[in-house]
């Protein structure tokens, strides 16, 4: 497993254009969400009563918020805006996937050229694959939601609620994790002109290694996130803001690293 992680890191360092594009994409989304919170959430929080011990003031604030939310159309513009942002993200995600995966599979081309060429050649098939991945990921919710609701309503204490909800949520996350990896192999196969059947065969034959590499890199990324989160608690100020933005770049690097490591596994198994 470690040889694929090492070779994936080398491949990632040879993809500065893809890493930069993904970083700017994530940075743009971060700014958009910040502006959304600043425009709609902060004005509401400013109305929250700041006098401690006045429960009636808090109840009045909550009653007013409930009336405004459910009895007026003030939330419609926010919901439409969120729907538009979600639609834009669902359109852009497969395009970026096409550029990144084609770049990893065809390192002999120029960096910017192969990224753009990947989008031009693969955007249709990657959009279909992304749609299929989304539908398969959401499919268990028809079975999960009633059970989550029952567990939430029947629990008498928070530990009892956690014992009921956490196994279901862990099962859903594990399923989503496997679906994402399988569809990643389908996308890798499409970038190298392999059939879907061959890509699925490589994915299932490589399942233990595939999951092991993904889990190790996920653990490393999680530890990095915890370190940055701990730093924000004990160290605030301008340099903390600089560190957070650097972390966003490192987070993007981990994303490409994970994809590149899976691409190394796929290439090695395809040559056998």
């Amino acid at each position: 497993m470690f040889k694929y992680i090492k070779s994936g890191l080398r491949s990632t360092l040879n993809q500065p254009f893809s890493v930069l594009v993904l970083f700017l994409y994530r940075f743009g989304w971060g700014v958009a969400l910040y502006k959304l919170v600043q425009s709609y959430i902060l004005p509401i929080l400013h109305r929250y009563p700041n006098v401690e011990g006045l429960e009636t003031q808090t109840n009045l604030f909550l009653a007013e918020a409930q009336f405004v939310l459910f009895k007026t159309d003030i939330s419609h513009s926010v919901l439409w805006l969120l729907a538009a942002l979600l639609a834009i993200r669902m359109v852009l995600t497969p395009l970026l996937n096409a550029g990144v995966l084609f770049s990893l599979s065809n390192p002999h081309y120029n960096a910017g050229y192969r990224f753009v060429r990947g989008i031009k050649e693969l955007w249709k098939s990657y959009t279909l694959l992304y749609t299929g991945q989304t539908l398969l990921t959401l499919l268990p919710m028809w079975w999960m939601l009633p059970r989550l609701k029952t567990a939430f309503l029947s629990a008498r204490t928070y530990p009892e609620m956690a014992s009921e909800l956490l196994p279901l949520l862990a099962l859903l996350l594990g399923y989503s994790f496997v679906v994402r990896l399988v569809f990643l192999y389908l996308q890798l196969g499409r970038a190298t002109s392999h059939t879907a059947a061959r890509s699925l065969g490589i994915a299932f034959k490589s399942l233990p290694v595939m999951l092991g590499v993904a889990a190790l890199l996920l653990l490393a990324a999680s530890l990095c996130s915890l370190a940055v989160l701990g730093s924000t608690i004990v160290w605030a100020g301008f340099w903390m803001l600089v560190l957070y933005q650097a972390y966003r770049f490192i987070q993007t690097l981990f994303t490409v690293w994970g994809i590149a490591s899976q691409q190394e596994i796929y290439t090695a198994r395809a040559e056998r």
Side-chain angles (χ1 to χ4, degrees), residues 141-207:
M141 296 303 295
W142 293 101
W143 177 79
M144 283 282 193
L145 285 177
R147 287 160 177 79
L148 290 173
K149 181 180 179 180
T150 301
F152 180 79
L153 295 177
S154 62
R156 297 180 180 179
T157 62
Y158 287 114
E160 183 180 350
M161 183 189 303
S163 65
E164 294 285 343
L165 294 179
L166 289 181
L168 294 174
L169 293 176
L171 183 62
L172 182 62
L173 289 175
Y175 167 80
S176 302
F177 189 65
V178 174
V179 168
R180 178 183 173 276
L181 286 176
V182 171
F183 271 86
L184 174 59
Y185 273 60
L186 287 172
Q187 293 174 48
L188 287 169
R190 181 66 186 86
T192 51
S193 301
H194 291 163
T195 63
R198 186 179 182 187
S199 301
L200 287 175
I202 294 173
F204 287 114
K205 288 179 182 178
S206 310
L207 194 60

Side-chain angles (χ1 to χ4, degrees), residues 42-51 54 57-59 61-62:
L42 288 182
I44 296 176
L45 293 178
H46 287 158
R47 292 178 56 83
Y48 190 83
N50 58 1
V51 181
L54 294 180
Q57 295 291 333
T58 302
N59 292 335
F61 170 81
L62 295 175

